[in-house]
């Protein structure tokens, strides 16, 4: 089961990456992780650095992917973003500001996309 | 889309209107936030509302929902905001049409979408009347509480589904009929007690004292060895208490509604409350407290009886805290969250042993306590506290001859004690005299009289006055005791349906005061 969820996540992350590229984003890195956590995608567009959390669900029966993103999760992503910027000073220098986005996917049984939503700038949800 | 729904919050016995503002934004990350100082129970409304809507066959919207409970600076607690939040969401979705007149929505949701019995519906109805709110949508199990108040449209709601179909105009909910005074007072005549006075053998003096206590709502203190029947006597007391007057009934119902003590489907409280507290009861539990302040046992016993068995075993601070409410009939509770006043006009019935072993003064059993032990035991009850108790009496052990009903086979006469119903009839007569006497004074019984009332209503004969004066001088009684003696005398006069207080009434009142001091 756990392995299945992991696979679903990978599928979703690949789909999200394609989706963002199509929308004109430049993907800097995928699956940046340290022992504290992981950022699924790091992208850039219009001189802005964007950290993207990808959430994938198969079917809507067990809650929406949006339900799975709460303040705690966003806090974790922000912390990871700071870690990333510390480890990559050139990137930090290049982009003065960053934002946190989420891409939420609902897939069908054959991994086809039923719904894909891109939520921008979730920083304000953290308060 | 923004929707404003009217609901209410209770602080003590006050009710404030609360506007539940529900904003449903289709832009922005979906979420559900409640602001306006919600406590945990309000915060959890999110999960209840969400699940109840889904289980009622309504798709929960993928939207950013913000609920604001205005005024935003007053802390809100309780589960009664479930319904207004759900209705707000439904209206923002455009799935219902709100009634044109001002309407209160109030109640707790169950996960299956049905409405649960909620506290404080009676207070809500009172507030609706004052604020001129026409419609009341309340849970079906609690709706009877509201039905006492006239000129309101009360819609008993059993489930969210039913409410939706009412609000879109498909199947209207039948308005509730007003509960009449008759149906409420019909219930009042069923005074129930664990014991009937006819079951209690002997103890004639104690029964007489309890009759006086019930008639004039005087405080009473019973002292006697273990097993003499103090507790049994107290438990029989509800059977002779007079029914609540209409005014009293409303006051008691307020307190019972806000504390959730009215059973589902219940309406006005018509029986006099009888509360009995264990001696481990905390001060906040007895007097009231917590934050925000809640009524304690003394307020739940408002207009009724508070029975404290094993009186000296209560902690000293708890007992002394009773002093002010005993005198004033109200209790003021101030906490950081605010200050509230609860009514607490109760009749205190206290029972105690005279010493730790219980046999002090008993003719047959020897007391095994040292004088020091006895002093320490009796010192637990302070003078000022005992001074506030009108009737003091000894409940001695009953002689064995009186215990079993005497059988005629042995040629002895059958002695049958009076039943509770007989005593109650006298008590009701005496209480009716008081109700007539105290019209428009705001008090209900002799014990509640202030000094100005005494001057106006109590007429002593010259001999009665002389006896009273001699007693005060001889026994060095306090001014308070003096006035309390007159009040008890008045009740005794009422029981014998006499207009003036005579010497014999004062003499009887005196014996309940002095007996205790002989020990």
């Amino acid at each position: 089961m756990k392995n299945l969820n992991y696979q679903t996540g990978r599928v979703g992350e690949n789909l999200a990456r394609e989706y963002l590229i199509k929308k004109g984003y430049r993907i800097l890195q995928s699956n940046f992780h340290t022992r504290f956590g992981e950022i699924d995608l790091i992208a850039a567009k219009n001189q802005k650095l964007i950290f993207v959390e990808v959430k994938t669900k198969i079917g809507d029966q067990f809650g929406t992917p949006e339900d799975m993103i709460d303040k705690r999760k966003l806090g974790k992503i922000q912390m990871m973003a700071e870690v990333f910027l510390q480890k990559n000073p050139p990137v930090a220098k290049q982009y003065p500001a960053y934002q946190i986005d989420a891409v939420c996917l609902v897939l069908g049984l054959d991994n086809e996309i039923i719904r894909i939503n891109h939520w921008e700038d979730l920083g304000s949800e953290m308060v | 889309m923004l929707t404003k729904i009217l609901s209410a919050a209770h602080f003590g016995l006050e009710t404030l209107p609360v506007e539940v503002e529900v904003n449903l934004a289709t832009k922005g990350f979906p979420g559900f936030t409640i602001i306006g100082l919600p406590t945990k129970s309000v915060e959890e409304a999110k999960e209840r509302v969400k699940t109840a809507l889904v289980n009622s066959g309504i798709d929960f919207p993928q939207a950013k929902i913000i609920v604001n409970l205005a005024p935003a600076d007053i802390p809100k607690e309780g589960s009664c905001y479930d319904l207004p939040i759900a209705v707000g969401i439904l209206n923002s979705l455009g799935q219902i049409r709100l009634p044109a007149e001002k309407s209160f929505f109030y109640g707790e949701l169950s996960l299956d979408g049905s409405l649960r019995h909620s506290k404080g519906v009676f207070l809500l109805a009172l507030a609706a009347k004052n604020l001129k709110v026409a419609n009341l949508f309340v849970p079906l199990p609690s709706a009877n509480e509201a039905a006492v108040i006239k000129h309101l449209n009360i819609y008993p709601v059993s489930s969210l589904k039913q409410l939706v179909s009412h609000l879109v105009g498909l199947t209207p909910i039948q308005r509730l009929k007003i509960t009449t005074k008759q149906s409420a007072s019909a219930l009042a005549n069923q005074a129930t007690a664990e014991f009937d006075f006819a079951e209690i053998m002997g103890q004639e003096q104690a029964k007489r004292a309890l009759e006086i206590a019930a008639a004039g709502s005087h405080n009473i203190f019973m002292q006697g060895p273990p097993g003499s029947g103090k507790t049994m006597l107290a438990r029989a007391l509800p059977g002779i208490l007079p029914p609540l007057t209409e005014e009293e009934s409303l006051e008691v119902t307020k307190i019972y509604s806000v504390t959730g003590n009215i059973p589902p489907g219940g309406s006005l409280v018509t029986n006099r409350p009888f509360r009995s507290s264990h001696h481990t009861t905390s001060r906040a539990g007895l007097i009231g407290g917590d934050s925000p302040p809640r009524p304690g046992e003394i307020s739940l016993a408002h207009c009724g009886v508070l029975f404290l068995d094993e009186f000296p075993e209560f902690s000293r601070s708890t007992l002394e805290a009773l002093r002010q409410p005993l005198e004033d009939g109200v209790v003021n509770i101030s906490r950081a969250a605010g200050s509230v006043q609860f009514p607490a006009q109760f009749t205190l019935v206290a029972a105690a042993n005279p010493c730790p072993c219980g046999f002090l003064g008993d003719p047959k059993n020897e007391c095994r306590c040292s004088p020091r032990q006895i002093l320490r035991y009796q010192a637990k009850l302070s003078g000022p506290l005992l001074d506030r108790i009108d009737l003091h009496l000894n409940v001695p052990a009953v002689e064995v001859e009186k215990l079993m009903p005497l059988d005629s086979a042995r040629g002895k006469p059958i002695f049958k004690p009076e039943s509770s119903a007989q005593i109650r009839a006298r008590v009701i007569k005496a209480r009716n005299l008081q109700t007539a006497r105290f019209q428009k004074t705001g008090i209900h019984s002799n014990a509640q009289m202030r000094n100005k009332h005494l001057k106006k209503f109590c007429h002593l004969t010259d001999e009665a006055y002389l006896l009273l004066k001699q007693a005060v001088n001889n026994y060095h009684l306090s001014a308070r005791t003096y006035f309390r003696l007159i009040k008890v005398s008045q009740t005794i006069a009422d029981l014998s349906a006499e207009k003036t207080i005579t010497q014999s009434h004062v003499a009887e009142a005196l014996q309940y005061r002095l007996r205790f001091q002989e020990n």
Side-chain angles (χ1 to χ4, degrees):
Chain A
M1 191 67 216
K2 202 152 191 193
N3 195 28
L4 182 72
N5 280 343
Y6 185 73
Q7 280 174 17
T8 309
R10 285 285 163 226
V11 172
E13 272 162 36
N14 289 333
L15 289 168
R17 181 164 48 226
E18 284 167 33
Y19 177 78
L20 288 178
I21 290 171
K22 237 184 257 171
K23 274 179 91 173
Y25 288 80
R26 204 154 52 83
I27 305 295
L28 302 182
Q29 199 173 343
S30 300
N31 297 320
F32 165 76
H33 66 270
T34 70
R35 61 196 180 109
F36 302 113
E38 186 183 34
I39 293 180
D40 296 330
L41 294 172
I42 300 168
K45 189 185 180 183
N46 303 336
Q47 278 305 301
K48 210 170 202 181
L49 189 62
I50 298 154
F51 297 93
V52 186
E53 169 68 15
V54 182
K55 268 282 163 208
T56 317
K57 286 242 148 193
I58 296 185
D60 241 345
Q61 292 98 313
F62 299 102
T64 61
E66 281 85 353
D67 283 342
M68 304 294 136
I69 300 177
D70 56 4
K71 279 179 205 165
R72 207 172 125 245
K73 184 75 193 167
L74 290 172
K76 217 162 182 183
I77 298 167
Q78 191 187 23
M79 192 184 79
M80 285 304 299
E82 304 286 350
V83 172
F84 174 83
L85 292 172
Q86 252 173 25
K87 284 196 171 179
N88 300 282
V91 183
K93 222 171 196 178
Q94 192 184 343
Y95 300 98
Y98 71 85
Q99 73 179 41
I100 296 170
D101 285 13
V103 175
C104 297
L105 295 108
V106 179
L107 302 182
L109 286 176
D110 296 321
N111 286 344
E112 77 278 14
I113 299 175
I114 293 177
R115 162 167 93 75
I116 182 163
N117 286 81
H118 178 198
W119 304 101
E120 291 186 45
D121 198 6
L122 299 183
S124 62
E125 306 294 331
M126 289 175 59
V127 253
Chain B
M1 194 190 137
L2 176 69
T3 307
K4 289 184 182 183
I5 305 284
L6 208 55
S7 193
H10 306 300
F11 302 94
L13 299 180
E14 303 271 305
T15 306
L16 279 181
V18 168
E19 216 164 7
V20 180
E21 305 177 324
V22 180
N23 191 54
L24 212 131
T26 37
K27 271 188 183 172
F29 190 71
F32 195 166
T33 320
I34 299 178
I35 56 171
L37 294 186
T39 55
K40 193 75 190 156
S41 53
V42 180
E43 191 72 42
E44 283 171 349
K46 285 192 271 195
E47 303 304 325
R48 284 192 297 270
V49 168
K50 206 170 184 172
T51 318
L53 282 170
V54 170
N55 286 340
S56 302
I58 295 149
D59 274 337
F60 194 78
Q62 274 284 314
K64 189 184 181 73
I65 300 169
I66 294 185
V67 175
N68 180 32
L69 307 173
D73 58 343
I74 300 170
K76 319 291 184 310
E77 63 150 12
S79 49
C80 59
Y81 303 106
D82 293 3
L83 184 65
I85 292 172
V87 170
I89 291 173
L90 284 168
N91 189 61
S92 291
L93 284 171
Q95 298 206 0
I96 53 169
R97 272 187 53 203
L98 290 176
E101 313 96 10
K102 269 199 200 171
S103 309
F104 268 140
F105 289 87
Y106 187 94
E108 177 183 330
L109 281 171
S110 170
L111 291 185
D112 61 5
S114 62
L115 275 105
R116 297 174 57 88
H117 182 49
S118 303
K119 291 178 188 175
V121 170
F122 180 70
L123 286 175
L124 178 80
L126 284 175
K129 195 182 169 195
N130 291 337
L131 298 165
K132 302 209 163 45
V133 176
N135 301 328
L136 234 67
F137 292 88
V138 290
L140 175 67
S142 320
N144 280 342
E145 289 178 34
V148 186
I149 313 292
K150 283 175 223 155
H151 311 302
L152 289 175
N153 301 328
I154 296 147
Y155 296 96
V157 185
S158 64
S159 70
L160 260 185
K161 252 187 196 167
Q162 187 202 18
L163 181 63
V164 170
S165 93
H166 169 81
L167 289 173
V168 296
L170 279 177
T171 39
I173 300 173
Q174 284 298 313
R175 274 188 285 164
L176 213 62
K177 284 220 176 75
I178 301 295
T179 312
T180 53
K181 268 178 258 164
Q182 283 91 341
S183 60
S185 56
L187 289 165
N189 286 322
Q190 315 163 344
T192 46
E194 273 176 68
F195 301 106
D196 194 285
F197 270 81
E199 293 172 48
I200 304 170
M201 301 298 150
Q203 305 296 17
E204 281 78 14
Q205 200 206 5
K207 286 180 187 173
R208 169 70 178 167
L210 283 171
E211 180 182 333
I212 297 168
S217 68
H218 298 286
N219 301 323
I220 184 167
F221 181 53
M222 294 186 282
Q223 205 177 46
S228 60
K230 301 180 296 294
T231 308
M232 198 174 176
L233 282 162
R235 299 232 172 255
L237 183 61
I240 64 165
L241 291 176
L244 287 170
T245 64
E246 204 185 325
E247 205 181 326
E248 287 175 320
S249 181
L250 291 177
E251 285 178 36
V252 176
T253 308
K254 266 192 194 178
I255 301 166
Y256 274 57
S257 175
V258 83
T259 49
N261 270 319
I262 295 180
S267 172
L268 273 184
V269 178
T270 48
N271 281 335
R272 250 169 228 283
F274 181 87
R275 307 287 300 189
S276 109
S277 288
H278 189 251
H279 62 254
T280 49
T281 308
S282 70
R283 201 166 56 178
L286 197 66
I287 308 300
D290 208 342
S291 179
R294 269 175 250 275
E297 285 294 323
I298 59 167
S299 295
L300 290 169
H302 179 59
C303 295
V305 170
L306 177 67
F307 174 45
L308 302 181
D309 208 353
E310 310 301 345
F311 201 43
E313 302 299 335
F314 281 79
S315 77
R316 175 104 195 201
S317 68
T318 309
L319 289 182
E320 297 310 307
L322 282 173
R323 275 156 63 168
Q324 183 258 328
L326 268 176
E327 196 68 19
D328 300 342
V330 291
V331 56
N332 286 305
I333 300 162
S334 295
R335 294 286 182 275
S339 171
V340 292
Q341 190 180 66
F342 293 116
Q345 249 158 12
F346 59 99
T347 304
L348 176 67
V349 176
N353 296 131
C355 67
C357 84
F359 290 114
L360 183 66
D362 191 86
K364 288 187 184 135
N365 291 287
E366 202 178 334
C367 174
R368 287 177 283 108
C369 309
S370 66
R372 198 187 151 86
Q373 274 179 307
I374 296 169
L375 277 179
R376 251 187 44 195
Y377 191 75
Q378 293 184 344
K380 284 185 182 168
L381 305 174
S382 72
L385 182 64
L386 292 177
D387 202 29
R388 284 167 168 81
I389 296 176
D390 301 333
L391 305 166
H392 292 262
L393 88 146
N394 271 334
V395 183
V398 188
E399 289 146 40
V400 71
E401 289 78 31
K402 283 190 177 173
L403 284 181
M404 292 304 283
L406 301 175
D407 48 307
S408 48
R410 288 193 210 151
K412 286 175 186 168
I414 297 175
F415 175 75
K416 205 164 177 291
E418 271 187 309
S419 72
S420 291
Q422 284 170 297
I423 302 173
R424 187 166 187 251
R426 282 201 301 273
V427 169
I428 290 174
K429 262 187 201 160
R431 190 59 78 100
N432 286 344
L433 283 175
Q434 294 168 49
T435 311
R437 183 185 305 139
F438 299 132
Q439 262 174 358
K440 290 175 193 157
T441 54
I443 59 173
H444 307 297
S445 64
N446 287 337
Q448 293 167 4
M449 279 195 284
R450 306 253 161 212
N451 291 354
K452 60 173 181 188
H453 300 126
L454 278 174
K455 270 190 197 124
K456 194 173 163 194
F457 297 119
C458 299
H459 309 292
L460 283 89
T461 61
D462 290 344
E463 295 88 33
Y465 182 69
L466 195 69
L467 177 63
L468 198 58
K469 209 168 82 179
Q470 278 174 349
V472 170
N473 285 334
N474 278 342
Y475 297 104
H476 312 292
L477 301 176
S478 70
R480 173 160 47 214
T481 310
Y482 170 76
F483 289 118
R484 285 188 176 253
L485 275 170
I486 300 179
K487 293 179 199 172
V488 176
S489 309
Q490 180 67 56
T491 304
I492 297 170
D494 286 342
L495 276 169
S496 50
E498 279 173 57
K499 285 207 175 74
T500 47
I501 300 170
T502 65
Q503 205 173 3
S504 69
H505 300 146
V506 174
E508 191 180 349
L510 268 171
Q511 65 168 331
Y512 298 118
R513 170 60 66 170
L514 299 178
R515 186 167 281 270
F516 181 71
Q517 292 173 343
E518 283 165 15
N519 279 329

